[in-house]
Amino acid sequence: MSQVFQPVDTKVNFPNQEEEILAFWKTQDIFKKSIENRKGGKHFVFYEGPPTANGNPGIHHVISRVFKDAIPRYKTMQGYYAPRIGGWDTHGLPVEIEVEKTLGLTSKTDIEKYGIDRFNQKCRESVFKYLKEWIAFTDRIGFWVDLDNAYITMKNDYIESCWWSIKKMWDEGLVYKGYKTAAHCPRCGTSLSSHEVAQGYDDNTTDPSVYIKFKLTLESSKAISNKFNAVKPIFLLAWTTTPWTLPGNTALAVDASADYALVDIGEYFVIIANKLIEVLDLAEVDIQATIKGESLAGLEYEPLYNPHDYNVDRMRFIAGTTELEKQPEDKDLKYRVISASFVSMDDGTGIVHIAPAFGEVDFEAGKSEGLDFVQHVDLSGNIIGDYSFANLFVKKADKEISHDLQERGLLYKETTIVHTYPFCWRCTTPLLYFVKQSWYIRTTARKDRLIDLNQEINWYPEHIKNGRFGDWLENNVDWAFSRERYWGTPLPIWHCETCDTYDCIGSIQDLESKPGFSGLTGEIDLHRPYVDGLTYSCSCGGLMRRQSEVIDCWFDSGNMPIAQYHYPFENETLLDDGRFPADFICEAIDQTRGWFYSLHAISSLNFDRVAYRNVICLGHILDEKGEKMSKSRNNVVQPSAIIDKYGTDAMRWYLYTASPPGQSRRFSENLVGEVMRQFILPLWNVYSFFITYANIDSYNPRNSSQPTPTAELDRWILSELNDIVLKVTSDLDGYDPTSAGRRIESFVSALSNWYVRRSRRRFWKSENDEDKLAAYDTLYNCLYTIVRLVAPFMPFLSEAMYQNLALSVDAYAPESVHLTSFPVADTDMVDTELAASTQLAIRISALGRSARSQASIKIRQPLAVIKVLLQSSVEETRLDRVKEQILEELNIKEMEVAHSQDELEKDGIRSSSDNLYAIGIDTTITPELESEGLAREIVRRIQTLRREADFDIADRIITYYEGDGRISEVMNEHECYISRETLSERIVNEEPGEKACSSSYKLDAHSILLGVEKMAS
Ligand SMILES: [Zn+2]
Ligand SMILES: [Zn+2]
């Protein structure tokens, strides 16, 4: 007889099976078909956050990619048209730093010596160094994304769209060059934007904590000391964790309304805020006077370092502006005390050291007070001038400076502090706050819109919206987006030195049509140094040259909604034809200040629209013990090892279901192995069970009339099935693959542990009666629905099962599960009362098994009675309905409803309970019960022998036995039952012959020799 379905290997090698499916998808172009089939359907837009292919993909890429994959697969099955275009991030510091390492370059001077053209050529080559690995890995994890047409940020078309976006902002007055405090990486030699800074904080940075004495001038001392007739010098005490900024000090700030103490230290006085007096570490504090902050303002003190003595320029703010004017040499330089609102009484001394060249508040104070400005550090972070600590990197100079001040009697005390400090997110060099000129996008001008538009976005998890992301927008600062670097989208701003005019270019054509345009040689390349050579004439007659900066690579990726389509130069209808904004994006939580922000900022500013409607924000991935994975801890898990052992689907399933997307998840080989044992194998075994029996009976669902099943068990599992279809759909519509996956898991567990187990004998029965057919129909229906439900999560396993379940019986079925439609629930099938009853049966049975195991009575030993204590009388009806199932399940003869706990605690009763129910089983074993138990044991041994003899499930046999009188008694008494269960045509009390497969066993106190032999057919 020909088999309807392909036989299933219970020991299937999942990784190999996945490789075969990959080949099938490729030759049949299934991904493309899945998209094209839905053309004309509603658009579902997914944006790929572009990775850089200059390093090998790692586990964090796996997690984001599998989450990115599931939702569009689901939407496609729902009928949406969902092309997914891949992308590659190719610009920026991450790329430059890798190339610098390879070439052994350590500074910008090195790069310029090497040649910007050669350096950029190396960058261009390096960005696809691991392209092959990326493509192979993307393929292998089943992430369906169109890499053939991926957008690449370094292409001229892409860059031109970025220029267009910048020009649009420029025209609206949103781009400016500012003299502002910027976080500066001295190694990379460039400013970082606030969102880049936000990615590199280290909470455990040890820095010096020094208390410095600033000596009041004689005149100012007198103004204070006259009042109480003292002649000792007076010092203002200030605190800093960055001693390297002290040569740049040009003012001290106090709180006008606070009280300050003049404390007698012995040889001198110090002034310090009353509230912070304990930092002096004095056993007894001798306060000579209390002075209001406002009386300190205006006092003068001697500079720690007069810049003129060290060959460093002294500049001064023209008050109220950011312009600086060089100051003449002054040997008697004095600085003054100012009052300011930012002075804190929480730490320090209540007197703040101000160095306007470093730090935001210092700069603001310098501007408003017209303070001096001393910049004694170059952009590499080295001290300039003739100081004894000149030429040292600032962090190295800290010690030398403290030492120098100590020798001069200007150091009060020195300790260390552990605090939070920002480091370069790419090269881990400590960042320095520097006042310098940079180009900014005035995002603050549209802050309200950024905040309002965020309300239109669905964040998963939801708390990110007004938490992490919302806070970030509330505290918005302008986007410092120029970089003094080489490999990036060139800043499209040209400058005339003659008349100091700036001009922004919005397209190649715009540039080429400028009067006097020149420098074009060969094909245009929108990169340095090529673009640096493109010039044109200024209306004043001068020459327009490009500003040398490139732009933040986060601008590139944030502009991908339009740049991937070369908008507006092509695809002019993009914004209104369903391709914008994204319906869905998904990345790790650190992107709230990275890509999530840059997408949102550009789209809000240029289009006054959101860039994405739904975003899954993924938590971090940890090792098995819950520790962060890192190279130094040597606990990084290689995804390829896990894929080779268990296959992609087990790993994917684990990642979806281990914890909700926003939370961190642990990851290890063992944890994925658990998924294999607890979910995938049980599912595969149910499938294999079905195929095996269906083939024996030549069951074909196409020939079935599919009447509504009448058996309670069938109606129950179909009710559960339709219920989860409904709920899984709603979970996925709410971007919650975790709940959806967990629901499917518990369904499969119910299907395997209750439905199939309790239906087994329905499939064994030899006659092809209605009930058997109904069981086949029901199980087929469950499996065929499950494969489509899990298809977005486990694209391989579902495909393997689908191919057999669907295509074996219907040549016209879609050729892949990914071309089918997602199941739709039939709510008429959902029977909540039946579900509740069966749930009760499952729970009571579990309690019964637990009581049996506590009493060490095997399930094969029949018992007389179980007593059940319920929650309410409503449940008595339910219990009645499922009574037979429970009794059969537990191998017990009778059931009684108990009315109190006491009834369950009598002699001979073993009880068991969970938080809702309690049961007790009578453990008395009568000779009749014992005999029945032995019969069951014998059946089990014969079944084992049948398997050992490799008989087919349907083979009829002769059973031989030898044993004591008790055994013969049991055999005679239960002959019918034993024959039926084991398909024995005859049971013969004699020694098994040579042809029989035989073995002897010990059953309690009795020995038995058993043999089985196949009947001649
Ligand atoms: Zn750096
Ligand atoms: Zn000009």
Side-chain angles (χ1 to χ4, degrees):
M1 202 181 343
S2 76
Q3 297 192 314
V4 178
F5 299 98
Q6 294 293 316
V8 172
D9 184 358
T10 46
K11 303 239 167 2
V12 64
N13 179 317
F14 289 108
N16 286 354
Q17 178 170 282
E18 291 182 355
E19 298 279 357
E20 283 164 25
I21 287 164
L22 279 175
F24 161 71
W25 287 345
K26 198 157 284 175
T27 51
Q28 298 306 316
D29 223 354
I30 300 296
F31 172 39
K32 198 165 166 202
K33 282 177 188 163
S34 77
I35 293 168
E36 297 305 316
N37 277 355
R38 304 301 192 182
K39 223 167 193 166
K42 202 167 171 265
H43 283 259
F44 182 80
V45 181
F46 163 75
Y47 288 163
E48 161 73 331
T52 308
N54 69 340
N56 255 317
I59 182 62
H60 53 289
H61 296 111
V62 174
I63 171 170
S64 63
R65 298 200 140 209
V66 303
F67 273 92
K68 286 175 185 184
D69 188 58
I71 301 290
R73 278 183 187 269
Y74 162 70
K75 290 290 180 180
T76 301
M77 290 179 79
Q78 288 272 25
Y80 287 84
Y81 175 63
R84 287 91 102 180
I85 302 171
W88 300 108
D89 200 5
T90 54
H91 279 152
L93 267 177
V95 180
E96 289 194 37
I97 286 169
E98 282 307 306
V99 171
E100 280 182 69
K101 275 187 203 154
T102 319
L103 296 174
L105 309 176
T106 58
S107 69
K108 287 170 72 176
T109 325
D110 281 358
I111 295 172
E112 285 176 21
K113 256 190 236 154
Y114 180 80
I116 298 174
D117 53 343
R118 287 173 68 205
F119 180 76
N120 275 357
Q121 185 52 35
K122 291 281 181 199
C123 290
R124 194 190 293 268
E125 288 161 11
S126 81
V127 291
F128 287 123
K129 194 168 163 195
Y130 292 92
L131 184 64
K132 245 180 42 205
E133 285 81 352
W134 272 90
I135 291 175
F137 143 84
T138 303
D139 237 35
R140 188 62 190 83
I141 63 169
F143 174 36
W144 273 359
V145 66
D146 182 359
L147 291 180
D148 296 336
N149 300 300
Y151 65 88
I152 300 171
T153 60
M154 68 181 180
K155 287 198 166 170
N156 273 357
D157 282 355
Y158 195 98
I159 293 171
E160 193 176 29
S161 287
C162 290
W163 280 17
W164 178 86
S165 284
I166 295 166
K167 167 76 166 160
K168 189 162 191 299
M169 294 174 186
W170 173 276
D171 288 343
E172 289 173 36
L174 297 173
V175 177
Y176 67 96
K177 189 177 197 177
Y179 223 171
K180 283 180 67 167
T181 311
H184 174 87
C185 173
R187 197 220 69 90
C188 300
T190 186
S191 313
L192 275 70
S193 65
S194 51
H195 49 263
E196 285 175 304
V197 176
Q199 294 184 38
Y201 278 105
D202 179 359
D203 296 335
N204 271 312
T205 310
T206 303
D207 267 322
S209 166
V210 297
Y211 293 81
I212 306 298
K213 291 151 66 183
F214 290 84
K215 190 177 183 189
L216 283 185
T217 59
L218 201 56
E219 208 163 308
S220 290
S221 290
K222 277 182 187 159
I224 289 177
S225 60
N226 277 348
K227 294 179 186 156
F228 47 93
N229 198 22
V231 284
K232 294 192 271 194
I234 303 175
F235 293 92
L236 296 156
L237 200 63
W239 173 69
T240 184
T241 57
T242 53
W244 62 269
T245 59
L246 288 169
N249 171 280
T250 63
L252 291 169
V254 295
D255 177 352
S257 60
D259 287 330
Y260 289 82
L262 181 77
V263 183
D264 191 340
I265 303 286
E267 291 170 8
Y268 58 91
F269 294 117
V270 292
I271 296 175
I272 182 169
N274 265 358
K275 279 188 184 156
L276 291 157
I277 215 151
E278 73 273 16
V279 306
L280 294 175
D281 290 337
L282 297 174
E284 263 178 62
V285 185
D286 180 4
I287 297 177
Q288 294 286 319
T290 299
I291 308 160
K292 268 271 179 259
E294 60 193 355
S295 316
L296 296 175
L299 294 180
E300 292 186 320
Y301 65 94
E302 296 174 7
L304 297 177
Y305 299 94
N306 182 335
H308 302 295
D309 297 343
Y310 302 95
N311 207 12
V312 168
D313 284 343
R314 181 169 64 93
M315 316 284 281
R316 181 173 294 169
F317 285 97
I318 300 174
T321 76
T322 62
E323 261 181 87
L324 295 171
E325 252 181 359
K326 193 169 168 181
Q327 300 299 305
E329 192 160 320
D330 180 356
K331 288 286 175 196
D332 287 324
L333 189 61
K334 297 174 192 76
Y335 291 141
R336 67 191 158 88
V337 177
I338 59 170
S339 71
S341 57
F342 56 76
V343 176
S344 155
M345 291 295 161
D346 297 333
D347 53 14
T349 61
I351 300 173
V352 176
H353 143 62
I354 304 286
F358 315 98
E360 187 93 46
V361 287
D362 306 59
F363 176 76
E364 291 301 325
K367 210 167 70 172
S368 57
E369 297 275 339
L371 300 178
D372 281 2
F373 178 98
V374 174
Q375 177 55 283
H376 64 284
V377 179
D378 68 16
L379 290 174
S380 305
N382 295 325
I383 310 269
I384 59 170
D386 301 336
Y387 305 96
S388 61
F389 39 84
N391 302 319
L392 287 177
F393 182 64
V394 290
K395 292 277 172 185
K396 289 203 167 121
D398 277 346
K399 247 200 177 73
E400 304 286 326
I401 292 170
S402 304
H403 183 69
D404 182 57
L405 292 173
Q406 182 164 34
E407 295 217 314
R408 290 160 54 199
L410 298 175
L411 183 77
Y412 183 81
K413 73 168 179 177
E414 180 182 16
T415 56
T416 56
I417 185 174
V418 176
H419 64 163
T420 303
Y421 194 85
F423 291 79
C424 178
W425 67 291
R426 270 299 159 189
C427 74
T428 70
T429 303
L431 297 178
L432 308 178
Y433 284 91
F434 257 45
V435 171
K436 54 188 228 184
Q437 284 194 307
S438 300
W439 287 91
Y440 288 84
I441 297 172
R442 206 185 305 273
T443 51
T444 50
R446 301 279 168 89
K447 180 175 155 181
D448 291 347
R449 285 306 288 158
L450 290 175
I451 292 168
D452 288 350
L453 287 166
N454 178 36
Q455 296 306 312
E456 295 176 18
I457 301 170
N458 294 317
W459 286 87
Y460 305 93
E462 206 196 333
H463 63 81
I464 306 278
K465 179 191 250 176
N466 294 318
R468 203 177 158 95
F469 195 67
D471 288 346
W472 180 248
L473 298 179
E474 288 289 344
N475 296 305
N476 187 258
V477 294
D478 287 345
W479 182 349
F481 83 124
S482 61
R483 297 287 176 275
E484 300 109 296
R485 295 294 306 190
Y486 310 97
W487 179 242
T489 293
L491 185 72
I493 295 173
W494 269 253
H495 178 235
C496 170
E497 272 195 15
T498 316
C499 69
D500 199 21
T501 299
Y502 292 102
D503 191 14
C504 183
I505 297 293
S507 70
I508 295 174
Q509 205 207 334
D510 186 7
L511 181 63
E512 288 180 346
S513 61
K514 290 287 177 184
F517 173 70
S518 89
L520 202 58
T521 53
E523 215 170 297
I524 195 163
D525 168 24
L526 296 184
H527 283 103
R528 299 189 68 188
Y530 188 98
V531 277
D532 300 338
L534 303 177
T535 59
Y536 57 90
S537 311
C538 178
S539 53
C540 81
L543 187 65
M544 297 295 284
R545 285 181 182 282
R546 199 186 70 82
Q547 292 276 284
S548 66
E549 291 96 329
V550 295
I551 65 167
D552 184 359
C553 61
W554 294 101
F555 190 98
D556 289 0
S557 52
N559 199 42
M560 63 72 72
I562 65 160
Q564 64 177 335
Y565 292 108
H566 194 210
Y567 177 89
F569 308 101
E570 294 172 60
N571 296 292
E572 301 86 334
T573 60
L574 176 71
L575 296 179
D576 303 300
D577 64 10
R579 288 182 283 178
F580 176 91
D583 291 293
F584 170 59
I585 61 172
C586 169
E587 304 290 337
I589 192 153
D590 49 354
Q591 297 297 334
T592 42
R593 288 157 190 195
W595 192 54
F596 295 153
Y597 174 68
S598 66
L599 277 173
H600 186 66
I602 295 173
S603 181
S604 302
L605 262 60
N606 273 350
F607 308 118
D608 200 33
R609 285 169 68 177
V610 294
Y612 44 92
R613 295 192 174 105
N614 299 284
V615 48
I616 292 183
C617 210
L618 295 166
H620 295 294
I621 193 128
L622 308 169
D623 76 358
E624 194 169 24
K625 294 183 200 119
E627 305 224 1
K628 221 170 142 182
M629 282 191 203
S630 71
K631 275 188 191 146
S632 57
R633 283 204 182 93
N634 201 22
N635 62 350
V636 178
V637 178
Q638 289 308 329
S640 58
I642 288 176
I643 294 172
D644 290 347
K645 184 160 182 188
Y646 298 114
T648 288
D649 278 346
M651 181 179 68
R652 287 177 63 125
W653 191 265
Y654 173 75
L655 292 172
Y656 297 128
T657 54
S659 58
Q663 290 174 19
S664 53
R665 65 205 62 225
R666 295 177 304 140
F667 187 72
S668 77
E669 196 178 301
N670 288 333
L671 292 165
V672 176
E674 263 318 280
V675 160
M676 198 66 183
R677 284 183 289 282
Q678 309 239 327
F679 175 59
I680 294 186
L681 287 177
L683 174 59
W684 189 259
N685 288 339
V686 170
Y687 162 67
S688 150
F689 170 87
F690 168 80
I691 298 289
T692 307
Y693 283 90
N695 277 340
I696 290 172
D697 286 328
S698 298
Y699 166 76
N700 186 333
R702 301 280 287 174
N703 302 335
S704 176
S705 55
Q706 304 243 358
T708 311
T710 49
E712 199 142 89
L713 202 53
D714 293 343
R715 290 199 295 109
W716 166 70
I717 197 69
L718 292 174
S719 165
E720 295 286 306
L721 181 71
N722 283 286
D723 187 47
I724 63 148
V725 168
L726 202 65
K727 287 174 177 158
V728 164
T729 306
S730 137
D731 290 337
L732 289 177
D733 286 342
Y735 293 84
D736 181 2
T738 307
S739 299
R742 288 176 176 178
R743 245 183 253 291
I744 296 172
E745 271 178 356
S746 47
F747 175 80
V748 167
S749 162
L751 180 68
S752 161
N753 295 326
W754 195 258
Y755 179 79
V756 170
R757 207 161 50 79
R758 296 209 39 78
S759 295
R760 265 176 202 274
R761 36 187 63 245
R762 303 169 68 196
F763 294 98
W764 289 345
K765 278 195 238 166
S766 51
E767 325 81 65
N768 234 341
D769 66 5
E770 279 298 304
D771 180 60
K772 183 173 190 171
L773 196 59
Y776 274 122
D777 281 346
T778 303
L779 187 52
Y780 182 82
N781 188 349
C782 288
L783 286 167
Y784 183 63
T785 305
I786 291 278
V787 296
R788 288 172 296 144
L789 275 186
V790 299
F793 304 92
M794 299 201 296
F796 298 95
L797 189 76
S798 57
E799 186 76 290
M801 290 168 60
Y802 171 84
Q803 293 287 322
N804 200 9
L805 290 168
L807 291 169
S808 302
V809 295
D810 180 6
Y812 298 100
E815 62 181 314
S816 160
V817 70
H818 305 291
L819 304 180
T820 64
S821 294
F822 202 72
V824 178
D826 177 355
T827 45
D828 288 347
M829 302 286 284
V830 178
D831 180 340
T832 46
E833 189 51 35
L834 176 57
S837 309
T838 312
Q839 187 55 38
L840 185 64
I842 293 173
R843 279 185 92 143
I844 299 299
S845 301
L847 289 175
R849 276 192 294 271
S850 149
R852 268 182 171 277
S853 108
Q854 286 167 41
S856 301
I857 302 173
K858 283 185 220 156
I859 200 83
R860 277 184 295 278
Q861 175 59 60
L863 294 173
V865 72
I866 176 171
K867 294 168 185 252
V868 181
L869 184 61
L870 295 166
Q871 290 273 297
S872 66
S873 53
V874 182
E875 288 180 325
E876 282 187 39
T877 325
R878 286 185 188 152
L879 187 67
D880 209 40
R881 188 174 184 176
V882 293
K883 180 176 155 185
E884 290 310 319
Q885 294 183 49
I886 297 171
L887 291 178
E888 192 183 55
E889 192 63 24
L890 293 175
N891 196 15
I892 293 177
K893 305 284 177 194
E894 285 302 328
M895 175 181 287
E896 288 169 14
V897 172
H899 298 284
S900 73
Q901 188 69 34
D902 295 346
E903 292 179 50
L904 307 178
E905 282 161 5
K906 292 187 176 144
D907 269 358
I909 301 276
R910 177 69 69 153
S911 65
S912 170
S913 62
D914 61 17
N915 51 0
L916 288 182
Y917 308 105
I919 61 106
I921 54 169
D922 186 344
T923 55
T924 321
I925 299 170
T926 61
E928 291 76 22
L929 291 174
E930 193 209 6
S931 173
E932 249 190 271
L934 278 169
R936 284 189 174 236
E937 293 292 345
I938 291 167
V939 165
R940 180 171 159 242
R941 299 311 189 279
I942 299 173
Q943 304 286 29
T944 311
L945 280 175
R946 285 186 60 112
R947 273 195 300 277
E948 275 171 22
D950 221 10
F951 293 162
D952 219 59
I953 283 169
D955 286 342
R956 309 241 141 214
I957 59 166
I958 305 173
T959 298
Y960 298 92
Y961 77 93
E962 275 193 329
D964 59 21
R966 179 76 174 128
I967 292 287
S968 301
E969 230 175 85
V970 172
M971 276 297 195
N972 291 332
E973 214 173 303
H974 296 284
E975 186 173 354
C976 254
Y977 161 74
I978 296 171
S979 302
R980 193 179 63 233
E981 292 296 311
T982 60
L983 300 185
S984 298
E985 288 288 304
R986 279 186 288 140
I987 296 182
V988 187
N989 188 358
E990 56 187 55
E991 195 180 337
E994 293 257 308
K995 284 198 286 174
C997 173
S998 61
S999 187
S1000 35
Y1001 303 95
K1002 198 103 177 124
L1003 301 179
D1004 294 333
H1006 314 284
S1007 297
I1008 181 170
L1009 172 64
L1010 279 169
V1012 295
E1013 192 179 307
K1014 194 150 86 173
M1015 295 276 290
S1017 50

